[in-house]
Amino acid sequence: MQIVEDQQDQAVEAKQGQIKITVCLSLSGIAEGGEEVYKEFQKQISEMEANAALGERKCEMGQVGCRGYCSRDVLVDVYVPGEERVTYEKVKPAMVKNILNDHIVGGKPFKKAAAKEDYYETLKKQTRVALAHGGSIDPENIDDYIQVGGYESLKKVLSTMKPEEVIEEVKKSGLRGKGGGGFVTATKWEKARNAPTDEKGTRYIMVNGDEGNPASYMDRSVMEGASHQVLEGLLIGAYAIGATEGIIYTRSDYSIAVRRLNMAIEQARERGFLGDNILGSGFSINIRVHEGLEAFIGGESTALMQSVEGKRPFPKAQPPHSSQHGLWGKPTVLNNAETWATVPKIIEKGADWYAGMGNENANGCKVWAISGNIKYNGLMELDMKTTFREAIDDYCGGIQKKKDLKVIHVGGVTGGFLPPELADTATDYESLLDAGVLMGQASFAAYDESACVIDLAKFSIGFNEGETCGKCTPCRIGLTLIRQKLDDISEGRGKMEDLDKLQELCEEISQTSLCGLGETAPKAILTGLKYFRKEYERHIVDQICDAARCTGLYRYFVKEEDCVACGACIKPCPTGAITGGTRKVAAHIDMDLCINCNACYQACGFLARSEE
């Protein structure tokens, strides 16, 4: 897919031979000050043009969507005709003048902010399909999308292919749903097309753009940066199943994605790609955006449809599946935004191209949200055969500060933990299941020895406990019982028999919960007990957390002979438990007031000590 990137760069250069500067205005780019950087570029360019500092050269400004390197925002690209593109990382408004003076006027990149070679290398290594145009086109401009081949796949489908042929091509590609379950996409489409319906032939087609997992944001980024690509994929699917209405369901707090999706819908309608008699083919469909509540359970398929129907988003037991009895009881196809964004590329390049990626378990590629103690945090689109070790070392710059990998947290808050010995596990659906984890919403975090498995599990269980819809008892009550057991272990009240009780409780909840949240939430405990049981036992038997994360196991004191009385520990103490610490008087901690928050330990750069 690097060919796509190169072609886009050349297209930018070819446009009137002028200099172009683009700023990432995805959510992460805006959060880091992208809008301020953009305005500063406009201001400085105007002044330089007024002073004739640019000569006869012209600078065009543009915005782009997410390319995945969120930890490096604000990202700025400078295209000078005849030269290689230069990317600048972590750009601040104060750097803008230097970039213009050094690069545009002086002819040499501003080295302080210029990306290093490994940035370009990791970008080239990726298999970019859903993110193919991320960081290179304006997501609010339909002409930019058309310039890179946008809507050509829709034209091809409507003019040369029957609906059954479209389904067969997608089936041949091996495309599976990228929302975590990995259900075969074409099978779902086929069932919906063949399902009985009313006399009007009512069928619905939907985008699941809801992500409740705090570690996942692939769909948000795709909808923000490739809204037309998502829309084109949805239109192709709608033609294939004979859908009569399309709905893009997303969270109301995804405000940028909502705005750009609505813009894409209006632009597509104006160009004849949406509405009645699309491109003269006789096929008609309208699509709208539905904003749901910011609830984790809202992303579950049946709860999502309940929400669209105006009901409380409670999950329902399946079967019947939505492909036969979905929205308002009609056949419905629901895929996530990343899946829909992949469809136009399969039609464009052919099923064999997509099937040529991946392994015997799964074809194609997948976008992962990757975080932890690594150099490059963000989104990476990886071939399905890529292992965690390859992703961490080859794509993310490895574990930082010369530390060792301790744990890989796969699948976010409904995921589980893998030890370093399983880092060579491939990132496809079946390989993950064999290791005891799920792809989930396709996120993973790689941690060094500073992480505590019990502490990570507490966060996951606590999050799911707060997000349960409360409909079924195993999830509603069971997650609270698990969290209480974890509290006991992390605060020194744990007993060895608690581990067997946790195991039994988690297995029961997984088997009896109504929906995926309850089924998968215990993965953090089950995999923790399987691969990191010694860490649980050390917390219980030795009353020690080697990562110093479970502060309830520790008592704090200051060695008077070593205290330099700098006072650094006094201010962060929330309860005023520390006295002295200034004027050559050693600090003293009153343990009756101490709440074991660990703030003093972190503040002291020299002598803070902790004991069980």
Side-chain angles (χ1 to χ4, degrees):
M1 287 302 296
Q2 184 57 27
I3 295 174
V4 173
E5 294 261 348
D6 291 341
Q7 288 176 341
Q8 290 167 198
D9 290 352
Q10 293 164 10
V12 171
E13 288 187 26
K15 189 177 180 181
Q16 300 176 357
Q18 64 185 1
I19 297 165
K20 182 164 185 177
I21 300 172
T22 62
V23 179
C24 176
L25 292 184
S26 64
L27 178 59
S28 59
I30 292 172
E32 290 295 329
E35 291 178 328
E36 290 75 15
V37 169
Y38 190 95
K39 291 176 183 177
E40 186 64 20
F41 267 110
Q42 289 181 313
K43 175 186 173 184
Q44 293 294 335
I45 289 172
S46 295
E47 291 179 1
M48 293 176 78
E49 288 177 342
N51 297 329
L54 297 176
E56 296 182 357
R57 290 174 297 177
K58 296 292 183 181
C59 280
E60 177 191 0
M61 286 296 301
Q63 66 171 339
V64 294
C66 178
R67 77 193 68 188
Y69 288 81
C70 309
S71 63
R72 318 305 287 185
D73 273 317
V74 175
L75 288 162
V76 172
D77 288 317
V78 176
Y79 300 86
V80 177
E83 299 178 10
E84 293 290 329
R85 175 193 64 184
V86 175
T87 298
Y88 292 97
E89 303 177 322
K90 298 185 177 181
V91 176
K92 303 297 180 186
M95 298 177 182
V96 169
K97 192 170 186 178
N98 290 326
I99 292 173
L100 291 171
N101 283 331
D102 286 17
H103 196 158
I104 307 303
V105 178
K108 294 183 179 180
F110 177 52
K111 291 185 178 181
K112 183 178 179 180
K116 303 299 185 289
E117 187 61 30
D118 61 347
Y119 161 80
Y120 300 102
E121 290 302 317
T122 55
L123 192 62
K124 289 177 182 178
K125 289 177 182 177
Q126 293 182 52
T127 307
R128 295 171 71 83
V129 178
L131 297 179
H133 309 302
S136 58
I137 67 171
D138 183 347
E140 298 182 9
N141 188 336
I142 190 173
D143 290 323
D144 270 21
Y145 182 59
I146 290 174
Q147 186 179 1
V148 295
Y151 291 109
E152 289 300 318
S153 293
L154 177 62
K155 293 177 182 178
K156 177 181 177 180
V157 161
L158 295 180
S159 62
T160 67
M161 300 176 74
K162 297 177 181 179
E164 295 82 4
E165 293 175 329
V166 177
I167 294 175
E168 187 59 34
E169 186 74 2
V170 173
K171 181 184 294 185
K172 186 180 175 184
S173 74
L175 177 65
R176 295 171 63 173
K178 296 174 185 258
F183 194 80
V184 178
T185 302
T187 300
K188 186 187 295 186
W189 292 14
E190 203 166 40
K191 287 182 177 179
R193 179 170 183 81
N194 296 329
T197 186
D198 57 26
E199 63 278 3
K200 296 180 180 180
T202 305
R203 292 182 180 85
Y204 296 101
I205 196 155
M206 301 181 71
V207 175
N208 185 346
D210 186 288
E211 295 165 304
N213 192 325
S216 301
Y217 50 97
M218 293 78 65
D219 287 335
R220 189 206 77 207
S221 296
V222 170
M223 290 186 295
E224 286 178 1
S227 49
H228 280 287
Q229 192 171 330
V230 173
L231 184 58
E232 183 179 11
L234 190 65
L235 286 166
I236 292 170
Y239 172 73
I241 73 164
T244 53
E245 183 179 348
I247 298 170
I248 302 175
Y249 182 98
T250 187
R251 302 166 67 87
S252 58
D253 58 344
Y254 281 8
S255 57
I256 299 172
V258 168
R259 178 171 59 83
R260 289 178 178 170
L261 286 166
N262 280 318
M263 289 179 67
I265 288 171
E266 290 306 310
Q267 291 173 357
R269 184 176 286 113
E270 290 172 1
R271 298 296 181 91
F273 298 127
L274 180 63
D276 296 330
N277 192 24
I278 297 173
L279 301 176
S281 66
F283 173 65
S284 303
I285 190 171
N286 282 303
I287 295 171
R288 62 183 175 88
V289 176
H290 181 96
E291 297 179 53
L293 298 175
E294 299 91 47
F296 185 87
I297 198 64
E300 196 276 334
S301 62
T302 60
L304 179 154
M305 292 180 195
Q306 296 259 65
S307 176
V308 173
E309 292 174 1
K311 303 172 185 176
R312 185 174 178 179
F314 270 156
K316 297 193 297 184
Q318 299 185 74
H321 295 285
S322 58
S323 56
Q324 297 174 306
H325 190 85
L327 190 64
W328 285 297
K330 303 299 189 294
T332 305
V333 165
L334 174 70
N335 289 118
N336 75 337
E338 184 188 344
T339 308
W340 288 121
T342 303
V343 171
K345 294 298 180 183
I346 291 175
I347 299 299
E348 174 192 348
K349 294 179 175 295
D352 292 339
W353 163 79
Y354 191 79
M357 296 181 280
N359 54 27
E360 64 276 6
N361 289 335
N363 300 134
C365 54
K366 179 74 186 77
V367 180
W368 285 83
I370 309 175
S371 58
N373 305 122
I374 52 178
K375 182 177 182 179
Y376 287 118
N377 287 266
L379 301 179
M380 302 278 179
E381 193 162 8
L382 308 176
D383 189 296
M384 282 283 191
K385 64 176 178 289
T386 307
T387 67
F388 288 113
R389 193 183 306 280
E390 290 170 338
I392 294 167
D393 294 340
D394 298 341
Y395 296 88
C396 301
I399 301 295
Q400 296 301 285
K401 298 182 180 179
K402 298 181 180 179
K403 293 187 176 182
D404 296 324
L405 175 66
K406 175 184 175 178
V407 57
I408 306 171
H409 187 181
V410 185
V413 291
T414 55
F417 305 119
L418 294 180
E421 298 78 46
L422 292 180
D424 290 317
T425 300
T427 52
D428 67 84
Y429 309 95
E430 278 71 30
S431 296
L432 296 174
L433 284 171
D434 290 343
V437 295
L438 292 171
M439 182 180 289
Q441 291 186 346
S443 68
F444 78 83
Y447 294 112
D448 60 30
E449 60 267 24
S450 64
C452 169
V453 170
I454 290 88
D455 183 59
L456 293 173
K458 281 179 63 176
F459 174 81
S460 293
I461 293 298
F463 180 90
N464 290 316
E465 179 189 15
E467 292 292 333
T468 178
C469 74
K471 184 175 183 179
C472 68
T473 303
C475 185
R476 183 181 69 249
I477 303 299
L479 294 180
T480 298
L481 294 175
I482 292 175
R483 193 259 306 157
Q484 290 172 347
K485 287 291 184 185
L486 292 176
D487 285 343
D488 287 343
I489 292 171
S490 66
E491 294 173 9
R493 300 184 299 273
K495 300 176 182 179
M496 286 298 292
E497 53 263 35
D498 289 342
L499 302 185
D500 291 334
K501 291 178 181 178
L502 272 174
Q503 180 83 26
E504 295 172 5
L505 182 59
C506 288
E507 290 174 352
E508 185 175 347
I509 294 170
S510 297
Q511 294 167 7
T512 58
S513 291
L514 183 59
C515 79
L517 190 151
E519 291 172 3
T520 59
K523 287 285 184 184
I525 312 302
L526 293 171
T527 54
L529 292 173
K530 181 178 181 180
Y531 298 121
F532 298 91
R533 192 178 186 90
K534 289 183 178 179
E535 188 163 351
Y536 275 86
E537 292 173 352
R538 183 153 170 78
H539 278 65
I540 295 170
V541 178
D542 299 328
Q543 297 276 290
I544 288 179
C545 173
D546 291 312
R549 295 289 178 178
C550 299
T551 57
L553 294 177
Y554 287 78
R555 290 178 58 83
Y556 296 84
F557 71 94
V558 179
K559 296 175 70 174
E560 294 185 10
E561 64 271 23
D562 293 331
C563 181
V564 297
C566 66
C569 60
I570 298 174
K571 187 175 181 179
C573 179
T575 61
I578 301 176
T579 56
T582 60
R583 297 181 181 180
K584 298 183 180 181
V585 178
H588 172 74
I589 302 175
D590 184 346
M591 288 308 299
D592 290 333
L593 296 176
C594 178
I595 59 172
N596 288 22
C597 68
N598 207 37
C600 61
Y601 184 88
Q602 295 176 354
C604 180
F606 310 98
L607 304 168
R609 297 288 185 266
S610 59
E611 287 191 353
E612 67 269 30

